[in-house]
Amino acid sequence: MKAATRIGLKTGLYLVLSVGAVLSLFPFYWMFIMSTQPNHVFNQVPPALLPGKELISNFMNVLVNIDFFQAMLNSLIVSLSITVGVLFFCSLAGFAFAKLHFPGKRFLFFFILMTMMIPPQLGLIPQYYIMTQLGWINELKAVIVPGLIHAFGIFWMRQYIKETIPDEMIEAAKIDGCSNFRIYWNIVVPSTLPAFATLGIIAFMGAWNDFLWPLTVLKDPSAQTIQVAIRTLYDAYVKDYGMIVSGTFWATVPLIVVFLAFNKLFISSLTEGSVKS
Amino acid sequence: MTLEKKRPSPPLGVKGRWWTEKRKNAFSGYLFILPFFLLFAVFGLFPILFSFQLAFFKWDGLNEKVFVGWENFQLILNDALFWKSLYNTFLIGIMGTLPQLIVALVLASALNSRMVRYRHLFRVAYFLPFVTSIVAVSVIFSIIFSSNPAGLANVLLSWVGISPIHWDTSEWGVKIAISVMVFWRWVGYNTIIYLAGLQSIPRELYEAAKIDGASVLQQWRHITLPMLKPVVIFTVFLSTIGSLQLFTEPLVFMGRNLREEGMTVVLYLYRDAFNQFAFGTASATAVVLFIIIAAFSVLNVLLANRIGKGGGL
């Protein structure tokens, strides 16, 4: 390749990639700017592109309209409980499918995989009805309990355990008199921590960002997760945009911080599996 | 672990002959997978069967259920709004997905070039929208696509001489705004998936092709495209299923007045059930949606198999 074409190509590549990056990041920047502006700026042409002075007062308005910290706490409780549950139950089931022998194993595993094809909306109404019967409406367990285990997690843990732990190791532990649960706890869990990290991220993110189901069962403001609370903010009759964006911004910041801190793990977690399969 | 210890393996049944190693394993096996089946039975299987049953009843959740046969299906299939919501779902799905996959492929190819440095930074930048919640994305884009002439989208349009668009009420405005949200949130995710796919193609293939005198275009056509096919199929599959379940974006974007311009099938179902307490027709909609999704899944698998076997696109 000639030097000139090489430089041209290189410039072109960087141009395409940079435009992509700017478009990708701009809404975040703009979200920050708008969370610092008073409401009248939203009617102003050209729009403000530099921060204003209302960062704190906008957030104070958020606190008047929704119980922001309660909603964040609810989201945290829901997401952490689901993550712990998914990690424990999915790895336990994954271990059973990978290393234990029992009649009907193949069929049961296939059955679990098939459940992944069912659209979640199909059972929405009866699920809601079950929750009313259990008296769980407006209680966080209505969101937590159904989320404690899922098919993908079992599939994921089974693959990982099957590949990383040699059968001999399990045999040896059995001869030493280990129960199956002790084998799981003392051998499987410590040697599959990377798989735990990946599944943990997927479970946490899924639970944190979930919307349809929490919206359905958590009506009471004190029980709402942050996603549902933000939506009520946006739905208010009188729209104070500075306040709305402020709520959205502060609800997004923690996730961005966590993402930036663990971005390598995040990206590989959420792309793995798609490329392999 | 010594060999002496390993020899006497069968008689592990401490509690007697009945409690054999085989039985013990089967017992723990079933016990370990039990939580899934318990939760699935209560919150998965039962609701699904109940949904299929409800589709044939008239029910508001409080009073007695009344059997109405196929009436619910007739009701929704005769409802213009149902067809409108189906049409919207497909249209928004295509508008949000197709350009997105193409752009993702372009970005991934550019990112895969050996000339590009700071690949890691670009990856982070592209991935950030995907980490953000759909609700946050919907709120921000609703404000960008405000009908106000001072809304960001309208300001940008005014620069090229287009007069302000009523994003929240016009037939195409609503759809474009929602498609843009879908596009923005997913394009980076698909870029990273494609990039991972591209990087898994062995470099030697390209080198061998170069020695044989293949042009860049020929390399792309005969190496990149076939090797990337499974990944592309995966993303198309995922996007199709995702589009059919579109809900949060239109709900947040349209706010309290769920206008028909942005009505999707799941939104139609949700509104029926939880605004009007028509659980019967809502269940009928859910069943129809299930059939559509199942049909698309089968179609996807068939296509994937055919393409996989046939070699060429």
Side-chain angles (χ1 to χ4, degrees):
Chain A
M1 224 184 293
K2 278 186 205 144
T5 37
R6 204 183 151 79
I7 290 171
L9 189 62
K10 207 168 171 173
T11 318
L13 284 175
Y14 275 111
L15 197 68
V16 168
L17 291 173
S18 307
V19 169
V22 167
L23 289 180
S24 200
L25 293 177
F26 177 77
F28 291 103
Y29 174 73
W30 194 78
M31 180 159 68
F32 166 66
I33 298 301
M34 288 297 135
S35 72
T36 65
Q37 298 289 356
N39 201 31
H40 66 81
V41 170
F42 286 78
N43 295 314
Q44 163 192 313
V45 183
L49 288 174
L50 290 171
K53 291 176 185 146
E54 307 293 322
L55 182 68
I56 293 166
S57 70
N58 276 338
F59 186 63
M60 290 299 166
N61 283 336
V62 172
L63 298 186
V64 171
N65 283 283
I66 57 169
D67 200 342
F68 183 86
F69 293 109
Q70 180 68 48
M72 286 294 255
L73 184 67
N74 289 342
S75 275
L76 201 65
I77 293 169
V78 166
S79 308
L80 284 179
S81 316
I82 287 181
T83 307
V84 171
V86 163
L87 288 180
F88 178 66
F89 290 125
C90 289
S91 58
L92 207 53
F95 165 59
F97 281 120
K99 297 292 174 191
L100 299 177
H101 301 284
F102 48 92
K105 184 168 94 163
R106 284 169 67 101
F107 169 76
L108 291 170
F109 186 65
F110 181 73
F111 179 84
I112 290 180
L113 289 188
M114 289 316 289
T115 65
M116 291 206 296
M117 308 285 284
I118 301 166
Q121 297 85 7
L122 183 60
L124 188 70
I125 294 155
Q127 275 164 2
Y128 175 77
Y129 176 71
I130 292 172
M131 292 303 168
T132 58
Q133 292 302 302
L134 290 172
W136 287 9
I137 298 293
N138 290 326
E139 290 194 38
L140 296 184
K141 59 187 171 197
V143 179
I144 295 171
V145 175
L148 286 178
I149 192 166
H150 53 63
F152 171 77
I154 296 178
F155 170 73
W156 173 254
M157 292 309 296
R158 174 194 177 255
Q159 298 304 97
Y160 202 92
I161 293 168
K162 215 177 164 76
E163 277 167 29
T164 42
I165 297 176
D167 286 339
E168 294 76 35
M169 207 167 172
I170 307 246
E171 289 298 315
K174 275 197 181 145
I175 287 149
D176 282 357
C178 271
S179 69
N180 282 317
F181 188 79
R182 268 199 65 183
I183 295 175
Y184 161 78
W185 192 250
N186 290 343
I187 298 175
V188 175
V189 174
S191 31
T192 51
L193 288 179
F196 273 79
T198 297
L199 185 59
I201 280 180
I202 293 173
F204 188 87
M205 248 193 71
W208 185 271
N209 288 338
D210 194 15
F211 179 66
L212 177 56
W213 182 239
L215 175 75
T216 311
V217 287
L218 304 176
K219 309 266 182 207
D220 192 71
S222 68
Q224 282 172 353
T225 59
I226 190 69
Q227 310 301 341
V228 182
I230 289 177
R231 191 257 179 171
T232 30
L233 209 56
Y234 184 76
D235 237 12
Y237 279 92
V238 182
K239 289 206 168 166
D240 177 349
Y241 287 107
M243 181 267 291
I244 295 166
V245 181
S246 175
T248 314
F249 174 72
W250 289 110
T252 309
V253 164
L255 210 58
I256 293 180
V257 171
V258 175
F259 171 68
L260 291 180
F262 300 101
N263 67 71
K264 275 207 171 114
L265 191 59
F266 254 85
I267 293 175
S268 58
S269 293
L270 295 165
T271 53
E272 236 167 325
S274 55
V275 181
K276 270 188 197 156
S277 59
Chain B
M1 234 68 55
T2 55
L3 267 179
E4 288 87 337
K5 257 183 157 180
K6 207 169 184 174
R7 271 304 103 194
S9 60
L12 271 175
V14 189
K15 291 176 190 168
R17 214 163 275 164
W18 186 82
W19 191 235
T20 56
E21 181 68 6
K22 218 173 152 186
R23 286 216 165 90
K24 207 165 115 184
N25 274 338
F27 177 74
S28 343
Y30 291 131
L31 190 68
F32 293 173
I33 63 173
L34 188 64
F36 176 86
F37 288 95
L38 275 181
L39 283 178
F40 180 73
V42 179
F43 299 111
L45 191 64
F46 170 70
I48 289 162
L49 297 176
F50 197 34
S51 278
F52 276 99
Q53 192 214 10
L54 268 185
F56 296 96
F57 283 84
K58 191 178 155 94
W59 192 42
D60 60 3
L62 291 172
N63 297 305
E64 282 292 295
K65 288 190 289 242
V66 181
F67 181 76
V68 291
W70 292 94
E71 202 180 285
N72 286 327
F73 290 95
Q74 281 167 359
L75 273 174
I76 58 166
L77 295 179
N78 285 322
D79 184 1
L81 189 58
F82 171 76
W83 291 103
K84 177 78 176 166
S85 72
L86 201 60
Y87 164 81
N88 288 347
T89 307
F90 278 104
L91 201 61
I92 295 171
I94 292 169
M95 280 164 44
T97 303
L98 202 62
Q100 179 207 115
L101 296 179
I102 296 167
V103 170
L105 198 54
V106 171
L107 286 176
S109 310
L111 211 50
N112 193 39
S113 162
R114 276 177 167 177
M115 286 181 224
V116 171
R117 291 174 64 200
Y118 310 113
R119 202 175 282 173
H120 179 67
L121 286 181
F122 283 116
R123 284 194 345 167
V124 171
Y126 294 160
F127 212 74
L128 202 52
F130 179 69
V131 181
T132 315
S133 78
I134 307 184
V135 179
V137 173
S138 307
V139 168
I140 295 307
F141 277 79
S142 304
I143 294 170
I144 291 178
F145 286 99
S146 149
S147 292
N148 191 322
L152 205 56
N154 278 336
V155 169
L156 290 178
L157 287 180
S158 74
W159 290 354
V160 288
I162 298 176
S163 48
I165 290 174
H166 284 281
W167 297 105
D168 56 349
T169 52
S170 66
E171 176 67 25
W172 283 95
V174 175
K175 293 188 179 67
I176 291 172
I178 295 171
S179 308
V180 170
M181 294 179 206
V182 176
F183 178 96
W184 182 76
R185 184 157 187 270
W186 284 91
V187 70
Y189 174 76
N190 286 315
T191 302
I192 305 302
I193 300 253
Y194 286 157
L195 178 66
L198 287 171
Q199 289 182 336
S200 68
I201 301 174
R203 293 267 176 197
E204 298 84 55
L205 282 180
Y206 291 103
E207 261 135 44
K210 254 183 232 163
I211 293 167
D212 290 345
S215 71
V216 175
L217 205 66
Q218 280 172 322
Q219 288 175 31
W220 193 78
R221 169 97 176 68
H222 294 286
I223 300 174
T224 313
L225 216 54
M227 297 288 280
L228 206 59
K229 219 179 288 164
V231 182
V232 174
I233 289 171
F234 172 81
T235 57
V236 170
F237 182 73
L238 212 67
S239 313
T240 315
I241 304 296
S243 305
L244 289 170
Q245 302 180 1
L246 209 60
F247 170 76
T248 310
E249 292 91 342
L251 179 75
V252 176
F253 184 69
M254 295 193 293
R256 235 174 297 92
N257 50 357
L258 301 173
R259 297 177 58 95
E260 62 174 77
E261 289 87 354
M263 184 69 72
T264 62
V265 178
V266 182
L267 199 52
Y268 178 83
L269 182 166
Y270 188 84
R271 198 196 58 142
D272 238 12
F274 298 108
N275 289 0
Q276 297 167 2
F277 300 101
F279 288 132
T281 50
S283 295
T285 309
V287 169
V288 172
L289 181 68
F290 170 70
I291 293 168
I292 295 172
I293 290 181
F296 267 89
S297 305
V298 170
L299 194 73
N300 266 311
V301 171
L302 286 180
L303 274 177
N305 279 343
R306 246 191 104 153
I307 292 168
K309 272 181 205 147
L313 268 174

